[in-house]
Amino acid sequence: MIPYFPKQISYRAIIVYLAALISISIFYSDYAMSFGYMAAGLLCVAGFFLATTEWTRSARVLPEKQFLTHVFIVAFILRLIWVVFSYFYYSRVTGTPFEFAAVDSIGYHEDAEWMASESWATTKYYLFESHLIGLSDTGYYLYLTTIYRIFGPHIIIPRIIKALLSAYMCILIYKICMRTFDESVARMAAIMCCLMPNIIIYCGYHLKETEMIFIAVAFLERTDYLLRANKWNFVNILIPMLLAGSLFFFRTVMGAAAVFSFLTSVLIINTPSMKKGWKRTAIIGWGLAAVLVAGGGTIMTEVEGLWEEKEDQVTSKRLQQTLRGNQWAQYATGTVMAPMVFVLPFSTMIDVDEQYGQQEKHGGNFVRNFMGIFALLAIYEAFRRKQWRNFALIGSFVIAYLGVISLSGFSNAERFLLPGLPGLIMMWAYGVSTLREKTWKLVTPWCVIVFAMEFAWAFFKLGSRGLF
């Protein structure tokens, strides 16, 4: 297996990015992005690929503890720099320390600030009894309100905490991959998570994604530990259950995907600790009990409602996009988007409809587009090498969550696709490590596909608005 990220992949990725960016900017010169966004995108793409190549090579000789310390420190510093920079940058360009087109962010902040100034009884009524707040938002409101009660309503404090949580998430990913794959894959995945642009950028947003993703990764890590542990106790079983349950209070689909991956992995995972039939039966019983408890309450009601309204949601969103001038949005159906779920969202390399947030993250989205092939290779190699049972937890969570999103009205919405990114990063690392002569030959044609993908997305965005 390849123990590091090959420089040949990095060079190809950067060349494809530059070729796509230059070609799109020239061909659609009237809608070219500003130089600032181009420079930021190049920094994200070149920084991710080149740093991953150099770091994965040099990190091979470091002791585990020293490596993890380096990863955490670098991850936290990168995130802290962005948190501070973005705070002043957004304050200057938008007039507030919130990102472009910040609606949910400002709502979270203002409501949490108000609840922090009121009694806990008022908070309880507003979040859980008034029915003014959806279940899938109550967790973040309660979390943010608690922080404001402790530290005061300072916007920068929750973002520094986000940087800490996001940095520690790299360590959790290392632990999962160490047990699931091997040490070289674990180190590669931790480094990729540390350097992934979109994960860094969200630490500077006042949104719930960073905390929600951290809980999801913590759930995967504790569940993986449970399934591979020789001895079980009440706490080891309870923790992943609580983490899965808490996800329902951040995003219902995340909680459902967690429960699905938990039960799926228990049923099919092939580890020494699961050889004893009573253990498998016992944990399945715990999982079913948790589902039955949730089934009688608000959680399952919301899950059921979301599923039943799925088609209406998709139709409504596409209709709204069409009415706003996006004439081709009606063709972005689940049938079309689902096969592309491992490479979405596409990278926006043009300036249209003042979508500055998409331009800001276009470099990170390009990384996802380019690395998509390694997620597909990971699935292929897992089956070819007959290791798919041991990889069931990660795979079932990623496929369940992204599958549902691809069938919704948010199949190319970067914010909604983000929670699947940590799982994809682990798959990327494994896919890269399994490269051999036969699969390496696929990388060059994939470069052509990615270039076509980015150009086609620019064509789609402009053409659907009747701009040419």
Side-chain angles (χ1 to χ4, degrees):
M1 298 180 74
I2 299 178
Y4 54 85
F5 194 80
K7 62 182 179 181
Q8 293 89 341
I9 296 177
S10 294
Y11 295 158
R12 280 171 169 79
I14 295 170
I15 291 171
V16 172
Y17 171 76
L18 288 173
L21 180 63
I22 293 171
S23 299
I24 291 171
S25 299
I26 293 175
F27 200 83
Y28 302 115
S29 57
D30 291 341
Y31 303 97
M33 293 190 298
S34 67
F35 178 77
Y37 286 126
M38 292 183 186
L42 180 59
L43 176 64
C44 288
V45 173
F48 175 85
F49 285 106
L50 295 179
T52 299
T53 294
E54 293 303 318
W55 197 356
T56 52
R57 285 177 177 271
S58 62
R60 288 184 295 163
V61 299
L62 293 178
E64 180 183 54
K65 186 175 181 180
Q66 185 179 357
F67 169 75
L68 293 178
T69 300
H70 286 180
V71 167
F72 179 81
I73 291 174
V74 172
F76 178 65
I77 290 175
L78 288 175
R79 285 151 178 77
L80 185 61
I81 290 173
W82 170 252
V83 163
V84 175
F85 170 79
S86 63
Y87 181 91
F88 292 103
Y89 172 72
Y90 291 137
S91 296
R92 179 179 179 181
V93 299
T94 71
T96 67
F98 295 97
E99 69 276 8
F100 301 105
V103 178
D104 289 351
S105 294
I106 295 175
Y108 289 139
H109 168 68
E110 292 179 346
D111 281 3
E113 184 179 23
W114 166 71
M115 284 186 283
S117 67
E118 299 290 334
S119 66
W120 279 113
T122 301
T123 300
K124 177 185 175 184
Y125 172 78
Y126 183 65
L127 294 181
F128 301 104
E129 299 173 11
S130 67
H131 302 294
L132 295 173
I133 301 296
L135 176 74
S136 58
D137 270 335
T138 54
Y140 188 62
Y141 274 117
L142 185 60
Y143 164 83
L144 199 56
T145 299
T146 302
I147 291 178
Y148 284 175
R149 285 180 182 274
I150 297 172
F151 300 103
H154 304 296
I155 293 174
I156 196 73
I157 298 297
R159 298 184 185 179
I160 294 175
I161 297 174
K162 289 174 188 286
L164 283 168
L165 293 176
S166 183
Y168 189 69
M169 184 176 71
C170 302
I171 308 302
L172 295 179
I173 284 180
Y174 172 87
K175 292 181 178 180
I176 298 170
C177 291
M178 185 67 178
R179 291 191 293 263
T180 306
F181 306 113
D182 62 28
E183 186 173 7
S184 62
V185 174
R187 295 192 177 206
M188 199 185 309
I191 289 170
M192 286 181 180
C193 183
C194 173
L195 300 172
M196 185 63 203
N198 291 23
I199 293 177
I200 295 172
I201 289 172
Y202 269 83
C203 292
Y205 291 174
H206 230 64
L207 296 170
K208 62 184 177 181
E209 270 65 26
T210 297
E211 290 80 2
M212 178 173 65
I213 295 171
F214 174 80
I215 294 172
V217 174
F219 157 77
L220 292 173
E221 194 277 327
R222 286 293 85 191
T223 301
D224 182 72
Y225 174 82
L226 171 67
L227 297 178
R228 300 177 193 278
N230 291 323
K231 294 182 179 180
W232 290 1
N233 57 48
F234 177 77
V235 175
N236 287 346
I237 297 175
L238 182 63
I239 290 176
M241 296 282 186
L242 292 176
L243 290 169
S246 66
L247 285 172
F248 284 97
F249 297 94
F250 281 81
R251 183 169 294 160
T252 312
V253 176
M254 288 285 286
V259 172
F260 173 79
S261 64
F262 183 87
L263 295 177
T264 300
S265 58
V266 170
L267 284 170
I268 67 176
I269 197 168
N270 186 25
T271 60
S273 66
M274 297 302 292
K275 294 294 185 181
K276 297 179 181 179
W278 69 269
K279 285 190 173 183
R280 197 182 298 270
T281 303
I283 201 168
I284 289 174
W286 268 82
L288 291 176
V291 172
L292 289 173
V293 169
T298 309
I299 290 176
M300 285 306 296
T301 301
E302 183 160 329
V303 172
E304 183 180 359
L306 284 172
W307 183 257
E308 290 178 347
E309 295 171 6
K310 173 174 62 68
E311 293 301 327
D312 292 338
Q313 179 192 67
V314 174
T315 302
S316 175
K317 188 167 188 292
R318 299 307 178 211
L319 178 60
Q320 291 174 17
Q321 291 175 324
T322 301
L323 292 175
R324 291 198 301 267
N326 195 339
Q327 299 298 320
W328 294 351
Q330 58 184 310
Y331 302 113
T333 62
T335 304
V336 174
M337 304 303 283
M340 299 183 286
V341 70
F342 290 106
V343 300
L344 295 173
F346 296 123
S347 179
T348 296
M349 298 185 182
I350 52 173
D351 182 9
V352 61
D353 290 348
E354 299 183 347
Q355 295 177 340
Y356 302 125
Q358 292 188 31
Q359 295 177 55
E360 179 182 64
K361 295 188 286 289
H362 85 272
N365 289 344
F366 174 84
V367 172
R368 293 188 64 158
N369 299 158
F370 188 88
M371 294 299 292
I373 188 175
F374 299 108
L376 297 174
L377 285 178
I379 296 173
Y380 169 73
E381 290 292 342
F383 280 94
R384 191 184 74 86
R385 301 178 185 215
K386 299 180 180 179
Q387 294 291 320
W388 61 275
R389 290 181 179 274
N390 289 333
F391 307 160
L393 179 64
I394 299 170
S396 59
F397 180 83
V398 171
I399 292 172
Y401 178 76
L402 293 181
V404 172
I405 295 301
S406 70
L407 296 174
S408 74
F410 305 96
S411 52
N412 194 55
E414 188 269 341
R415 179 183 169 189
F416 285 87
L417 291 166
L418 188 73
L421 184 53
L424 287 176
I425 288 174
M426 290 185 267
M427 295 169 71
W428 295 348
Y430 177 68
V432 169
S433 72
T434 62
L435 280 173
R436 49 201 171 88
E437 184 178 358
K438 185 176 180 180
T439 53
W440 172 251
K441 292 178 181 179
L442 299 174
V443 174
T444 298
W446 179 253
C447 292
V448 178
I449 292 173
V450 173
F451 175 86
M453 188 189 303
E454 309 302 0
F455 204 96
W457 181 240
F459 175 81
F460 180 89
K461 289 184 77 73
L462 294 174
S464 64
R465 290 165 174 78
L467 296 177
F468 63 76

